[in-house]
Amino acid sequence: MNAACDVAIVGAGIVGAACAYECARRGLRVVIVDRDTTGSGTTAAGMGHIVAMDDSEAQFALTRYSQKLWQELRPELPDDVEYEQCGTVWVAADDEEMQEVEHKSTYYGERGVTAHVLDEKQLRTLEPNLRSGMKGGLLVPEDGVLYPPCAARFFTERAQELGTRLRFGVSVGHIGEGRVTLADGSEIRAEFIVNAAGASAPDLTPGLAIKKRKGHLVITERYPEFVRRQLVELGYLRSAHSVSSDFVAFNVQPRRTGQLWIGSSRQYGAEHKEADHHMLVRMLQRAQEYMPGLGQMLAVRVWTGFRAATPDKLPLIGPWPGDKSVWLATGHEGLGITTSLGTARILGNQLIGTKPEIPIEPYLPSRSTREHVHA
Ligand SMILES: Cc1cc2nc3c(=O)[nH]c(=O)nc-3n(C[C@H](O)[C@H](O)[C@H](O)COP(=O)(O)OP(=O)(O)OC[C@H]3O[C@@H](n4cnc5c(N)ncnc54)[C@H](O)[C@@H]3O)c2cc1C
């Protein structure tokens, strides 16, 4: 079957699905192709923390913009997306991290994000199952959590209602010069082809500076109220920063079911899906250092996923300099659930030629052909 459309999107993870919905909303004729189904890739492995992050101004701009878009969309989200504005507590283990809390609080405050510095006692009152002796923390009430695969399905269904065609269960072998070639021999012709294939994006666009960065997650049995907010150690950013070493950080999320998701780990060079025992042990030991009670809990499942990591930790959103029909929406590392909405919005702006609401230069793929900062 050969078909023509305005936009062909490869990848129906949360990013591709959000882009499909955005393009369809703007009246474009869209086809979305996935070798599996919607939300089945890294999206199914992600934690779903919707978080304003302050690693860089560009990261803050995209995460905060996206967070606001999630808040606007909230009334329309179906129940199974499980959006909860539970807030984040960044946990400080010592005095040095308390200084970081102050710094973070000022940064957020100057940019209009509400944040409350917690002393040791306030932290214990909010999250009594943290180990005693933690110095304090930072509560960021507007952060939230959701269930990523259902969010991706929601976008796909919305796009479909607006006329988007779905081609699931078929792999894309090649994209370029206005053509998407599928493994079943069919071809889709499109003015714009969006590579939203996540960590597999370089298979379709050779030369993309994206590396797979593996992560593990554990889900427990139900322990309602054991944790009330997304809890993250302040050292998490150091783990996200590292471009070479393997890292673990304390990162626990309460689910609506009463279950807990326990993360997180980061590894380069491990491209098999199976869990790596040594990383799992390190990750769970780290979690128990912060919350000893986790050691008594039953884990029901462990899984892994691959983040699409770029050298400068910012996604690639916009035209690919190597082919004028190819556009990118990939490279979201550990923030693609949060930033899917902002990505879709600024990609839509670029395709249609309307003014984006935030500066888009930091995310343009042309930067990666100018800079060679990969370790
Ligand atoms: C352990 C872990 C925890 C995370 N926690 C968070 C979090 O709390 N908050 C947050 O914001 N982000 C988080 N992330 C990151 C987030 O999950 C990803 O950034 C996001 O899911 C990326 O979505 P995507 O649509 O780009 O990629 P994917 O979900 O991987 O989608 C890509 C799709 O492309 C399809 N595809 C690939 N190649 C082809 C091909 N050749 N032909 C056809 N189809 C193809 C795949 O089947 C897949 O469905 C986490 C990630 C991990 C691993």
Side-chain angles (χ1 to χ4, degrees), residues 232-257:
V232 192
E233 69 165 280
L234 270 156
Y236 176 87
L237 266 184
R238 281 196 292 277
S239 114
H241 262 159
S242 155
V243 288
S244 54
S245 336
D246 296 348
F247 256 94
V248 295
F250 168 70
N251 188 348
V252 173
Q253 179 178 110
R255 304 298 313 163
R256 193 183 280 177
T257 55

Short mmCIF file of all heavy atoms in Angstrom, two decimals, residues 232-257:
data_model
loop_
_atom_site.label_atom_id
_atom_site.label_comp_id
_atom_site.label_asym_id
_atom_site.label_seq_id
_atom_site.Cartn_x
_atom_site.Cartn_y
_atom_site.Cartn_z
N VAL A 232 13.07 12.26 45.76
CA VAL A 232 14.29 12.16 44.96
C VAL A 232 15.45 12.70 45.78
O VAL A 232 15.33 13.77 46.40
CB VAL A 232 14.19 12.98 43.64
CG1 VAL A 232 15.33 12.61 42.70
CG2 VAL A 232 12.86 12.77 42.95
N GLU A 233 16.57 11.99 45.77
CA GLU A 233 17.73 12.53 46.48
C GLU A 233 18.34 13.66 45.67
O GLU A 233 18.25 13.68 44.43
CB GLU A 233 18.77 11.43 46.74
CG GLU A 233 19.46 10.91 45.51
CD GLU A 233 20.72 10.10 45.85
OE1 GLU A 233 21.77 10.72 46.12
OE2 GLU A 233 20.64 8.87 45.82
N LEU A 234 18.94 14.61 46.35
CA LEU A 234 19.53 15.74 45.63
C LEU A 234 20.68 15.32 44.73
O LEU A 234 20.99 15.98 43.76
CB LEU A 234 19.98 16.81 46.62
CG LEU A 234 18.86 17.80 46.88
CD1 LEU A 234 19.04 18.48 48.22
CD2 LEU A 234 18.80 18.85 45.78
N GLY A 235 21.29 14.19 45.06
CA GLY A 235 22.38 13.69 44.22
C GLY A 235 21.90 13.20 42.86
O GLY A 235 22.71 12.89 41.99
N TYR A 236 20.57 13.15 42.64
CA TYR A 236 20.02 12.65 41.38
C TYR A 236 20.58 13.40 40.17
O TYR A 236 20.91 12.81 39.16
CB TYR A 236 18.49 12.78 41.40
CG TYR A 236 17.82 12.38 40.11
CD1 TYR A 236 17.48 11.06 39.86
CD2 TYR A 236 17.54 13.33 39.12
CE1 TYR A 236 16.87 10.69 38.66
CE2 TYR A 236 16.94 12.97 37.93
CZ TYR A 236 16.61 11.65 37.71
OH TYR A 236 16.03 11.29 36.53
N LEU A 237 20.71 14.70 40.33
CA LEU A 237 21.20 15.49 39.19
C LEU A 237 22.62 15.11 38.83
O LEU A 237 22.98 15.09 37.66
CB LEU A 237 21.12 16.98 39.50
CG LEU A 237 19.86 17.66 39.01
CD1 LEU A 237 19.92 19.15 39.29
CD2 LEU A 237 19.63 17.42 37.53
N ARG A 238 23.42 14.76 39.86
CA ARG A 238 24.79 14.33 39.57
C ARG A 238 24.75 13.07 38.71
O ARG A 238 25.53 12.90 37.80
CB ARG A 238 25.56 14.06 40.87
CG ARG A 238 26.05 15.32 41.54
CD ARG A 238 27.12 15.01 42.58
NE ARG A 238 26.59 14.30 43.73
CZ ARG A 238 25.98 14.88 44.76
NH1 ARG A 238 25.83 16.17 44.76
NH2 ARG A 238 25.53 14.16 45.77
N SER A 239 23.79 12.18 39.03
CA SER A 239 23.68 10.94 38.26
C SER A 239 23.24 11.22 36.83
O SER A 239 23.73 10.66 35.88
CB SER A 239 22.72 9.98 38.97
OG SER A 239 21.56 9.72 38.25
N ALA A 240 22.31 12.16 36.68
CA ALA A 240 21.85 12.49 35.33
C ALA A 240 22.94 13.19 34.54
O ALA A 240 23.03 13.08 33.32
CB ALA A 240 20.60 13.36 35.42
N HIS A 241 23.82 13.90 35.26
CA HIS A 241 24.90 14.66 34.62
C HIS A 241 25.97 13.79 33.99
O HIS A 241 26.52 14.11 32.97
CB HIS A 241 25.64 15.48 35.69
CG HIS A 241 25.17 16.89 35.74
ND1 HIS A 241 25.34 17.69 36.83
CD2 HIS A 241 24.53 17.64 34.83
CE1 HIS A 241 24.83 18.87 36.60
NE2 HIS A 241 24.32 18.86 35.39
N SER A 242 26.31 12.72 34.70
CA SER A 242 27.49 11.95 34.31
C SER A 242 27.35 11.45 32.88
O SER A 242 26.30 10.95 32.49
CB SER A 242 27.62 10.75 35.26
OG SER A 242 28.33 9.74 34.63
N VAL A 243 28.40 11.60 32.10
CA VAL A 243 28.31 11.11 30.72
C VAL A 243 29.06 9.79 30.54
O VAL A 243 29.05 9.21 29.47
CB VAL A 243 28.86 12.13 29.68
CG1 VAL A 243 27.91 13.30 29.53
CG2 VAL A 243 30.24 12.59 30.02
N SER A 244 29.70 9.30 31.60
CA SER A 244 30.46 8.08 31.40
C SER A 244 30.12 6.98 32.42
O SER A 244 29.88 5.85 32.05
CB SER A 244 31.96 8.38 31.46
OG SER A 244 32.24 9.07 32.66
N SER A 245 30.03 7.31 33.72
CA SER A 245 29.93 6.24 34.72
C SER A 245 28.50 5.71 34.87
O SER A 245 27.54 6.35 34.48
CB SER A 245 30.36 6.78 36.08
OG SER A 245 31.19 7.85 35.95
N ASP A 246 28.41 4.54 35.51
CA ASP A 246 27.11 3.99 35.91
C ASP A 246 26.71 4.66 37.22
O ASP A 246 27.55 4.87 38.09
CB ASP A 246 27.23 2.49 36.14
CG ASP A 246 27.58 1.75 34.86
OD1 ASP A 246 27.49 2.37 33.79
OD2 ASP A 246 27.92 0.56 34.95
N PHE A 247 25.45 4.96 37.36
CA PHE A 247 25.00 5.69 38.53
C PHE A 247 23.69 5.14 39.07
O PHE A 247 22.85 4.65 38.31
CB PHE A 247 24.76 7.17 38.17
CG PHE A 247 25.83 8.07 38.65
CD1 PHE A 247 26.88 8.41 37.83
CD2 PHE A 247 25.79 8.59 39.95
CE1 PHE A 247 27.89 9.25 38.28
CE2 PHE A 247 26.79 9.44 40.40
CZ PHE A 247 27.83 9.77 39.55
N VAL A 248 23.49 5.26 40.38
CA VAL A 248 22.18 4.99 40.96
C VAL A 248 21.82 6.19 41.84
O VAL A 248 22.70 6.89 42.33
CB VAL A 248 22.15 3.70 41.82
CG1 VAL A 248 22.38 2.48 40.95
CG2 VAL A 248 23.13 3.77 42.97
N ALA A 249 20.52 6.41 42.02
CA ALA A 249 20.06 7.49 42.90
C ALA A 249 18.73 7.07 43.52
O ALA A 249 17.94 6.35 42.89
CB ALA A 249 19.91 8.79 42.12
N PHE A 250 18.50 7.54 44.72
CA PHE A 250 17.22 7.27 45.40
C PHE A 250 16.10 8.06 44.72
O PHE A 250 16.18 9.30 44.62
CB PHE A 250 17.35 7.68 46.87
CG PHE A 250 16.05 7.72 47.61
CD1 PHE A 250 15.36 6.55 47.91
CD2 PHE A 250 15.50 8.94 48.01
CE1 PHE A 250 14.16 6.60 48.60
CE2 PHE A 250 14.30 8.99 48.70
CZ PHE A 250 13.64 7.82 48.99
N ASN A 251 15.08 7.36 44.26
CA ASN A 251 13.98 8.00 43.54
C ASN A 251 12.77 7.09 43.69
O ASN A 251 12.72 6.01 43.10
CB ASN A 251 14.40 8.15 42.06
CG ASN A 251 13.43 8.98 41.25
OD1 ASN A 251 12.32 9.27 41.70
ND2 ASN A 251 13.84 9.36 40.05
N VAL A 252 11.81 7.50 44.52
CA VAL A 252 10.66 6.62 44.81
C VAL A 252 9.37 7.38 44.53
O VAL A 252 9.24 8.55 44.85
CB VAL A 252 10.69 6.14 46.28
CG1 VAL A 252 9.42 5.39 46.63
CG2 VAL A 252 11.89 5.23 46.50
N GLN A 253 8.44 6.64 43.94
CA GLN A 253 7.18 7.28 43.54
C GLN A 253 5.98 6.48 44.06
O GLN A 253 5.93 5.26 43.89
CB GLN A 253 7.11 7.32 42.01
CG GLN A 253 5.85 7.93 41.47
CD GLN A 253 5.88 7.97 39.94
OE1 GLN A 253 5.15 7.25 39.29
NE2 GLN A 253 6.72 8.80 39.38
N PRO A 254 5.02 7.18 44.67
CA PRO A 254 3.78 6.48 45.07
C PRO A 254 2.83 6.36 43.89
O PRO A 254 2.65 7.32 43.14
CB PRO A 254 3.19 7.43 46.12
CG PRO A 254 3.68 8.79 45.73
CD PRO A 254 4.98 8.61 45.01
N ARG A 255 2.25 5.18 43.68
CA ARG A 255 1.24 5.02 42.64
C ARG A 255 -0.15 5.05 43.29
O ARG A 255 -0.31 4.78 44.47
CB ARG A 255 1.42 3.67 41.91
CG ARG A 255 2.80 3.44 41.30
CD ARG A 255 3.14 4.45 40.24
NE ARG A 255 2.07 4.65 39.29
CZ ARG A 255 1.98 5.68 38.47
NH1 ARG A 255 2.92 6.60 38.48
NH2 ARG A 255 0.96 5.79 37.64
N ARG A 256 -1.14 5.33 42.46
CA ARG A 256 -2.51 5.42 42.98
C ARG A 256 -2.96 4.09 43.61
O ARG A 256 -3.77 4.06 44.53
CB ARG A 256 -3.45 5.80 41.85
CG ARG A 256 -4.80 6.22 42.34
CD ARG A 256 -5.73 6.54 41.19
NE ARG A 256 -5.50 7.86 40.63
CZ ARG A 256 -6.15 8.33 39.57
NH1 ARG A 256 -7.05 7.59 38.95
NH2 ARG A 256 -5.90 9.55 39.12
N THR A 257 -2.42 3.00 43.12
CA THR A 257 -2.78 1.67 43.64
C THR A 257 -2.20 1.41 45.03
O THR A 257 -2.51 0.39 45.64
CB THR A 257 -2.18 0.58 42.73
OG1 THR A 257 -0.76 0.84 42.62
CG2 THR A 257 -2.80 0.59 41.34
#
